[in-house]
């Protein structure tokens, strides 16, 4: 439970930082960042395995067998960010590429946090 809370707060901070650096990402404050991070967390819990499975099937498992399964997970996470965009009026990404970059940033920071803390 603590690990999940830490990831929500860290993801919210990453979303805020990315919104400040990326002109195609709009986010209205820390409260919205926490709400969006919660939405992303819940959607990730519910959908990431389905999206990852579909992407693995669509690519004939190429990335999985080459040891590059993280690519399909990042793309699935970008799709989840796009879906989260639809749930909040205070969070917008203009196009898929900003969502993909957000997914990469969140994955990198999340991996570092897991390595350091857990």
């Amino acid at each position: 439970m603590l690990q999940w809370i830490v990831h929500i707060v860290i993801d919210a901070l990453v979303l805020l930082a990315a919104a400040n650096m990326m002109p195609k990402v709009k986010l209205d404050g820390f409260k919205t960042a926490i709400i969006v991070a919660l939405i992303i967390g819940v959607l990730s819990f519910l959908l990431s395995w389905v999206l990852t499975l579909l992407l693995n099937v669509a690519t004939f498992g190429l990335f999985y067998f080459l040891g590059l399964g993280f690519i399909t997970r990042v793309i699935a996470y970008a799709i989840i960010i796009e879906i989260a965009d639809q749930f909040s009026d205070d969070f917008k990404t203009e196009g898929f590429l900003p969502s993909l970059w957000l997914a990469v940033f969140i994955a990198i920071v999340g991996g570092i946090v897991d390595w350091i803390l857990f």
Side-chain angles (χ1 to χ4, degrees):
M1 181 71 168
L2 177 65
Q3 184 176 4
W4 190 72
I5 293 169
V6 168
H7 273 284
I8 294 300
V9 172
I10 295 295
D11 288 356
L13 293 172
V14 170
L15 287 168
L16 274 174
N20 287 329
M21 292 186 305
M22 299 171 65
K24 294 191 177 197
V25 176
K26 309 289 185 235
L27 184 66
D28 295 337
F30 186 70
K31 179 181 172 187
T32 302
I34 289 288
I35 292 168
V36 170
L38 282 168
I39 292 170
I40 290 171
V42 169
L43 288 173
S44 178
F45 175 76
L46 295 174
L47 298 176
S48 66
W49 66 274
V50 173
L51 291 171
T52 303
L53 177 67
L54 290 173
L55 288 167
N56 279 331
V57 168
T59 61
F60 302 109
L62 182 65
F63 293 120
Y64 179 77
F65 290 120
L66 293 176
L68 302 172
F70 69 91
I71 292 173
T72 54
R73 287 191 302 274
V74 167
I75 293 171
Y77 210 70
I79 293 169
I80 288 169
I81 290 170
E82 283 289 310
I83 295 170
D85 178 340
Q86 302 303 311
F87 281 100
S88 175
D89 292 333
D90 297 330
F91 171 66
K92 293 293 167 212
T93 57
E94 298 174 16
F96 187 73
L97 193 57
S99 295
L100 187 61
W101 280 111
L102 277 174
V104 169
F105 293 149
I106 290 172
I108 290 171
V109 173
I112 292 170
V113 168
D114 283 345
W115 182 66
I116 291 173
L117 297 180
F118 303 105

